[in-house]
């Protein structure tokens, strides 16, 4: 179908009328599609949220601007008028939208990104001529994971640049896109184990590892450390009972590392503190990130109790990254 | 990684048939998330329910990553199936296009409860009964 632009039909409704009005919009809207924008309240940490039942909800649908558009708009108006007889309803708002290449337009939000002193993140649709010292990470923004835009990831990349020594054994716990594991490999690590307890992360990380040709150095696997094995998804908060599980050995790798990067969240770091300490060689270093400033003391206390000694502290905005050494 | 939630968007789409065209493009494009990755994921996950409307809840984070979670079909879709009709009435106060029983109403309310802004089954039933009324579907004992 050839269209040059679209008519957006938007209406504000109370939460109880969402289904009713959505049904009407779906009857007329392009591809039966309806957008529902409902107010929400964020949790204190991580991805949890709750819908706010006291705020109105916006519903939107789209009509191709063609010869029938005015007739269809009137039909919607008519049907909503009937709903309005039994439920409160805001007035219909319309605006026209130009046709866009939506399949590719999101790419404009991304560019070649320099992180730290030498690390460059390059999306696959862009070209980049690397400088002699550059560590180039080829990463596309995907579904479940970003691309180093987040301060917690930037803090980790900076620290990896400073701390990775050639030939080291490195663990990337909660690897996500694999970005930190790939950076460690390109910075000269000998062997890198990338773990995540989300199977989608494991798949995405493996794709990125292959794209960056570091498959010889980096092994990616689904799993965690110690009590982390019983935790479910990192961010779910469903920690379960602490049952240590020596899953690391199943992957045929030594469970001791020269360097661990754990870009997680505060409460997960606290839960895993003893396991992180055990997984380090004596003198080994732990980079912990994803710590929101108000939780920093709690995390630091858990690490000290686990026999780790604070070495460095980096801050970006409200996010803190810590470096500890196993005594 | 700690991720900050920046937006939550729900979309009602025909199962397996999402495209980057509206409503997906305009609804998600402004957040800079990978639209094609979303379309692929939605169509893969919803393919088994082809022929139904399958709503999806997309949580978008500050690093432009996102999570898509399929929800239960809209009440209107379940009501249409229960009443055995193709579409709702265009003049619902005047026309009755179909009927469902109280038991069917309760069953739909139970199925929808996890995704509704209702604290209990009675409230859920009330909301769904309202949807039925506005579609011209009558509830019979």
């Amino acid at each position: 179908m050839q269209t040059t632009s679209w008519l957006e039909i938007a209406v504000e409704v109370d939460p109880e009328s969402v289904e009713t009005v959505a049904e009407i919009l779906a009857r007329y809207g392009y591809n039966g599609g309806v957008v529902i924008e409902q107010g929400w309240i964020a949790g204190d940490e991580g991805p949890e949220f709750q819908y706010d039942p006291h705020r109105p909800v916006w519903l939107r649908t789209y009509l191709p601007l063609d010869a029938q558009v005015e007739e269809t708009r009137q039909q919607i108006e008519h049907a909503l008028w009937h709903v309005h007889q039994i439920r409160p309803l805001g007035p219909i708002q319309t605006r026209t939208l130009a046709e866009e290449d939506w399949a590719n337009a999101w790419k404009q939000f991304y560019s070649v990104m320099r992180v730290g002193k030498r690390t460059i993140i390059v999306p696959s649709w862009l070209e980049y001529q690397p400088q002699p010292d550059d560590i180039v990470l080829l990463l596309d923004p995907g579904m479940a994971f970003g691309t180093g835009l987040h301060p917690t990831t930037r803090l980790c990349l900076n620290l990896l640049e400073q701390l990775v020594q050639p030939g080291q054994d490195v663990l990337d716990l909660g690897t996500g896109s694999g970005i930190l594991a790939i950076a460690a490999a390109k910075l000269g690590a000998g062997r890198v184990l990338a773990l995540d307890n989300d199977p989608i992360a494991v798949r995405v990380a493996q794709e990125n590892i292959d794209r960056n040709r570091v498959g010889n150095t980096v092994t990616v696997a689904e799993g965690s450390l110690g009590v982390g094995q019983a935790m479910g998804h990192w961010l779910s908060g469903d920690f379960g009972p602490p049952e240590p599980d020596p899953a690391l050995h199943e992957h045929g790798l030594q469970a001791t590392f020269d360097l661990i990067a754990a870009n997680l969240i505060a409460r997960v770091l606290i839960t895993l503190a003893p396991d992180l300490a055990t997984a380090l060689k004596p003198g080994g270093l732990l980079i912990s990130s994803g710590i929101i400033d108000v939780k920093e003391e709690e995390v630091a206390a858990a690490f000290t109790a686990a026999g780790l000694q604070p070495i460095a502290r980096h801050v970006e905005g409200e996010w803190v990254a810590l470096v500890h050494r196993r005594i | 990684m700690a991720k900050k939630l920046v937006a939550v968007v729900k979309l009602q789409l025909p199962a397996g048939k999402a495209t980057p065209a509206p409503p997906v493009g305009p609804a998600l494009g402004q957040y800079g998330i990978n639209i094609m990755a979303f379309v692929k994921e939605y169509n893969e996950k919803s393919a088994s329910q082809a022929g139904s409307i399958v709503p999806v809840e997309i949580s978008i984070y500050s690093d432009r990553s996102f999570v898509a979670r399929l929800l239960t079909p809209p009440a209107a879709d379940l009501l249409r199936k229960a009443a055995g009709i193709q579409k709702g009435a265009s003049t619902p106060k005047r026309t009755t296009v179909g009927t469902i029983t109280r038991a069917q109403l309760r069953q739909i309310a139970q199925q929808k409860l996890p995704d509704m802004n209702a604290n209990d089954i009675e409230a859920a039933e009330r909301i769904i009964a309202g949807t039925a009324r506005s579609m011209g579907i009558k509830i019979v004992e």
Side-chain angles (χ1 to χ4, degrees):
Chain A
M1 190 186 52
Q2 198 64 45
T3 58
T4 49
S5 47
W6 299 81
L7 185 70
E8 180 187 83
I9 304 230
V11 60
E12 197 181 23
V13 306
D14 69 300
E16 286 204 0
S17 307
V18 168
E19 292 261 2
T20 309
V21 175
E23 194 271 333
I24 291 167
L25 297 182
R27 237 185 276 164
Y28 300 101
Y30 178 72
N31 202 15
V34 180
V35 184
I36 302 169
E37 288 170 4
Q38 188 164 1
W40 48 273
I41 304 159
D44 61 342
E45 191 183 19
E48 300 88 3
F49 69 93
Q50 281 186 315
Y51 284 112
D52 184 346
H54 305 294
R55 271 154 65 190
V57 181
W58 276 98
L59 300 185
R60 300 173 204 281
T61 197
Y62 298 86
L63 309 175
L65 265 183
D66 54 20
Q68 284 87 50
V69 70
E70 181 50 28
E71 193 186 328
T72 312
R73 192 193 64 75
Q74 281 178 18
Q75 283 169 337
I76 293 174
E77 200 167 6
H78 185 69
L80 291 181
W81 180 87
H82 282 283
V83 176
H84 188 47
Q85 304 307 301
I86 32 179
R87 309 262 353 147
L89 210 60
I92 295 175
Q93 299 193 3
T94 58
R95 64 177 177 135
T96 50
L97 289 181
E99 171 83 11
E100 265 183 56
D101 180 10
W102 280 290
N104 290 302
W106 57 273
K107 291 179 180 172
Q108 75 193 3
F109 288 93
Y110 298 87
S111 56
V112 170
M113 201 171 22
R114 184 171 284 270
V115 183
K117 289 196 174 66
R118 306 161 56 198
T119 312
I120 316 283
I121 299 171
V122 182
S124 65
W125 60 88
L126 294 173
E127 292 209 10
Y128 176 74
Q129 275 303 344
Q131 307 294 308
D133 258 1
D134 283 353
I135 304 289
V136 175
L137 308 180
L138 304 172
L139 276 181
D140 277 356
M143 188 174 52
F145 316 97
T147 49
L149 287 165
H150 199 282
T152 65
T153 313
R154 277 202 297 268
L155 286 164
C156 281
L157 286 169
N158 258 313
L159 286 163
L160 284 174
E161 274 187 1
Q162 295 168 27
L163 298 175
V164 173
Q165 301 292 322
Q168 281 186 330
D169 282 352
V170 177
L171 169 66
D172 175 11
L173 190 61
T175 194
S177 64
I179 183 170
L180 298 180
I182 295 164
K186 292 201 173 182
L187 286 161
R191 288 181 300 181
V192 183
L193 175 62
L195 292 181
D196 204 297
N197 51 15
D198 179 348
I200 297 170
V202 171
R203 199 189 70 212
V204 172
Q206 186 65 58
E207 284 168 13
N208 286 328
I209 287 160
D210 294 343
R211 179 176 298 152
N212 283 277
R213 299 166 194 258
V214 289
N216 289 337
T217 313
V218 185
T219 305
V220 62
E222 192 177 331
S224 181
L225 287 178
V227 297
Q229 296 295 341
M231 278 174 56
H233 192 275
W234 295 116
L235 302 173
S236 71
D238 176 21
F239 286 11
E243 294 168 25
D245 180 344
L248 282 178
H249 298 292
E250 287 172 21
H251 305 299
L253 284 145
Q254 285 283 316
T256 52
F257 298 90
D258 300 297
L259 181 64
I260 299 178
N263 187 15
L264 299 164
I265 59 174
R267 59 178 180 191
V268 176
L269 290 169
I270 292 165
T271 310
L272 293 182
D275 295 310
L276 288 164
T278 311
L280 280 172
K281 291 177 186 167
L285 296 178
L286 167 67
I287 300 170
S288 59
S289 188
I291 305 164
I292 196 134
D293 48 16
V294 293
K295 298 272 177 78
E296 181 186 350
E297 273 181 42
E298 234 179 294
V299 176
F303 285 166
T304 305
L308 296 168
Q309 184 185 19
I311 301 288
R313 174 179 180 276
H314 292 243
V315 184
E316 187 178 328
E318 59 195 333
W319 299 102
V320 182
L322 300 173
V323 182
H324 283 76
R325 177 182 282 128
R326 182 175 170 189
I327 302 162
Chain B
M1 183 177 65
K3 305 202 274 194
K4 201 168 167 189
L5 189 65
V6 295
V8 182
V9 179
K10 269 196 235 174
L11 293 172
Q12 288 193 5
L13 300 167
K17 289 184 178 162
T19 74
V24 175
L28 302 182
Q30 58 186 309
Y31 301 111
I33 67 171
N34 185 335
I35 299 254
M36 291 317 292
F38 165 74
V39 165
K40 196 166 156 246
E41 155 145 327
Y42 174 82
N43 288 341
E44 262 172 29
K45 281 187 176 169
S46 62
S48 61
Q49 300 180 62
S52 298
I53 300 288
V54 176
V56 57
E57 177 188 84
I58 305 126
S59 309
I60 301 159
Y61 302 99
S62 50
D63 63 350
R64 300 206 178 99
S65 65
F66 65 94
V67 174
R69 186 171 73 92
L70 296 192
L71 306 174
T72 51
D77 215 47
L78 300 172
L79 284 165
R80 266 194 301 270
K81 288 210 173 84
I85 57 167
Q86 288 294 314
K87 57 178 257 182
S90 48
T91 55
K93 286 193 89 182
R94 277 175 261 155
T95 335
T96 299
V97 293
T99 58
I100 60 161
T101 63
R102 283 251 154 237
Q104 283 177 308
L105 176 67
R106 172 150 294 224
Q107 201 194 341
I108 293 171
Q110 234 137 26
Q111 190 181 342
K112 287 289 299 171
L113 195 59
D115 293 334
M116 286 178 77
N117 300 304
N119 297 325
D120 52 49
I121 188 79
E122 280 75 26
E125 275 186 37
R126 256 197 325 276
I127 294 172
I128 288 162
T131 304
R133 198 160 52 235
S134 72
M135 293 169 70
I137 292 174
K138 221 174 157 176
I139 294 144
V140 295
E141 295 304 321

